[in-house]
Amino acid sequence: MIGWLHGFLGAPSQWERVRSEGDAWWMPGHGPEPWVRPGAGFDEVIDALAPWTTGRRVLVGYSLGARLALSLALRHPGELRAVVLVGGTPGIEDASERAARAAADDALAESIVRGGLEAFVARWEALPLFATQRELAPEALAAQRSWRTGHRPEAIAWALSTLSTGRMPPLWEALATAPFTVHAVTGERDEKFTRIAEEMVRRGEGRVVHHRVEGVGHNVVLEDPAAVARVVGVAGWAGGPIRSPRRDEQEYLLRKLVSADQAWERSEILKAIKGCFSNGPRRVYHFDFNLFDVTLDVDAGAAVIEGIFVSPDGALRMSVMELASILLGRRVGRLEEVMATLAECDRAAVIYAVEPWTPGSPALIARASIDGSEPDEARAIGASRFMGVAEAMGRAAPQDGSSG
């Protein structure tokens, strides 16, 4: 079950293009019948929301909702596996900066009471933080404007003041001991929150994963909802906390996987991953490649790896054989499909296929083991040697004097 926390001046309907399950709530101070607690402190509000984590495996929050989600998860983790923070922050560490931010938000709250919500929203939408949203379709902006102006001014003023980043206890130190994974989602054009996410990764002791979404700004939920849905899919899929490898570990594995000969067998991929991490209990690891993300569910003791390959088209669970095919440029599919890719393959490799050999037989191209036997990935699907790539290319080539 997933819980969804919208941003300041937002609404549960903000998630309609992302949410596939779970509950989306009105944040404190928001909505037609706002929940407020005059005189309460930040943590008192968070404690009152504790039931929201009951039975949840993932919390997803945007902006204000992201701060509340992280605070709630750290104080009342329950059975949470992950928290997805879209444009979120663990707070302000410097006490004087916190005090200045609290005073500034108090002044803004007073301006809402004095001048009304519509005037405040007009000024809010003009902030540089939201500049990229002006490129969106008019209907998307109109829907957002209706959320923002549909609240009660006094309740929104209370929320702005009470839940100010200046009154939020900083949570940076708690990241390193969180019992769940933190997925920080930021737009590439949102420089401030991208820097914050990078610092969260640095200080999170492997518990923070950063997903940077190209071409968008602060509100990734509005500007690229499919990207947020993909991250939530990864967070919900993982059977346990996801560990981001240290940069040196990741670079080591990448060097192994893209080695010059690209002739690795499944066992060699296992060795590379297990060479990065000590053999131990089942863990989940996230690798942020240049063009895609891979999340691996690794049982080192049983030598089992499953993965999710997250591409612009969505998330797909795959076996280690399929993952190896993507990472190492190998070809896996029906025999007729594999044969069609020979020109792109290593001539020293071998075609393996499941008998009886037909055009639709499951097949793959890989190097034979040192002793000439089938590699692990071929044995895994019951495939035997069909013919060498060089031999197959020779048979396919037109003979001298022929028209082909």
Side-chain angles (χ1 to χ4, degrees):
M1 186 67 74
I2 301 175
W4 307 82
L5 289 71
H6 64 74
F8 180 65
L9 293 175
S13 56
Q14 187 173 29
W15 298 109
E16 62 185 9
R17 296 173 64 194
V18 178
R19 183 163 67 102
S20 58
E21 63 167 287
D23 300 309
W25 303 286
W26 285 106
M27 292 303 96
H30 290 69
E33 298 180 2
W35 180 92
V36 297
R37 183 166 291 185
F42 186 96
D43 280 344
E44 289 180 76
V45 173
I46 294 299
D47 289 342
L49 304 180
W52 286 1
T53 61
T54 302
R56 309 285 164 186
R57 66 177 185 274
V58 180
L59 287 182
V60 185
Y62 162 65
S63 197
L64 166 66
R67 293 192 292 108
L68 297 186
L70 182 59
S71 301
L72 183 57
L74 288 170
R75 289 180 69 84
H76 305 281
E79 299 178 359
L80 285 173
R81 298 178 186 175
V83 177
V84 179
L85 311 179
V86 184
T89 172
I92 302 171
E93 289 189 286
D94 183 82
S96 60
E97 291 181 15
R98 283 202 308 276
R101 176 58 182 269
D105 284 344
D106 287 346
L108 287 174
E110 291 178 10
S111 73
I112 294 174
V113 175
R114 290 196 311 269
L117 192 54
E118 290 201 11
F120 174 81
V121 167
R123 295 195 302 273
W124 185 260
E125 291 178 339
L127 292 174
L129 185 66
F130 306 121
T132 57
Q133 296 177 25
R134 296 167 201 146
E135 303 168 14
L136 298 175
E139 56 269 24
L141 296 177
Q144 180 171 251
R145 170 60 70 89
S146 68
W147 302 333
R148 288 176 168 172
T149 57
H151 305 288
R152 295 187 180 181
E154 295 80 4
I156 283 294
W158 170 85
L160 177 57
S161 178
T162 303
L163 304 178
S164 166
T165 312
R167 292 194 168 87
M168 170 186 176
L171 304 173
W172 288 92
E173 296 300 324
L175 291 175
T177 57
F180 47 79
T181 302
V182 176
H183 294 263
V185 182
T186 64
E188 173 194 30
R189 297 165 69 182
D190 182 1
E191 296 181 1
K192 174 183 175 181
F193 282 86
T194 293
R195 287 195 302 271
I196 289 173
E198 290 170 347
E199 182 65 11
M200 289 170 66
V201 171
R202 190 184 73 80
R203 297 175 57 176
E205 296 292 331
R207 289 171 171 81
V208 180
V209 179
H210 181 200
H211 306 263
R212 181 160 40 194
V213 182
E214 294 186 1
V216 300
H218 182 66
N219 192 343
V220 187
V221 179
L222 180 67
E223 298 178 59
D224 193 346
V228 178
R230 290 196 299 271
V231 174
V232 175
V234 169
W237 167 79
I242 294 178
R243 178 191 187 280
S244 282
R246 297 192 312 267
R247 179 59 57 184
D248 60 326
E249 294 172 331
Q250 179 167 313
E251 289 176 354
Y252 167 81
L253 182 59
L254 279 172
R255 286 197 302 271
K256 291 286 189 181
L257 291 179
V258 297
S259 57
D261 60 7
Q262 293 192 342
W264 285 20
E265 301 173 7
R266 178 176 182 273
S267 60
E268 292 301 312
I269 297 172
L270 280 165
K271 289 178 185 176
I273 293 173
K274 292 166 72 174
C276 287
F277 315 106
S278 61
N279 292 348
R282 179 169 171 266
R283 297 290 294 277
V284 182
Y285 303 109
H286 178 90
F287 297 89
D288 183 7
F289 291 79
N290 290 334
L291 299 179
F292 52 85
D293 292 342
V294 171
T295 299
L296 301 178
D297 193 341
V298 180
D299 186 335
V304 173
I305 302 179
E306 283 190 317
I308 276 190
F309 167 66
V310 183
S311 71
D313 299 325
L316 173 68
R317 187 178 303 191
M318 61 185 61
S319 68
V320 67
M321 182 180 69
E322 295 166 315
L323 182 63
S325 172
I326 290 172
L327 296 181
L328 304 182
R330 292 176 177 162
R331 302 295 182 265
V332 179
R334 299 194 305 272
L335 181 56
E336 60 184 351
E337 296 171 336
V338 167
M339 295 294 286
T341 68
L342 293 179
E344 306 169 19
C345 297
D346 182 354
R347 293 178 64 89
V350 175
I351 306 166
Y352 297 91
V354 175
E355 297 186 63
W357 295 325
T358 67
S361 295
L364 61 93
I365 295 176
R367 285 283 191 99
S369 299
I370 295 175
D371 61 2
S373 63
E374 290 86 358
D376 288 347
E377 57 263 47
R379 287 197 294 270
I381 63 171
S384 58
R385 190 184 193 279
F386 177 66
M387 67 175 65
V389 170
E391 178 187 357
M393 292 179 69
R395 292 190 183 187
Q399 303 297 316
D400 290 346
S402 73
S403 63

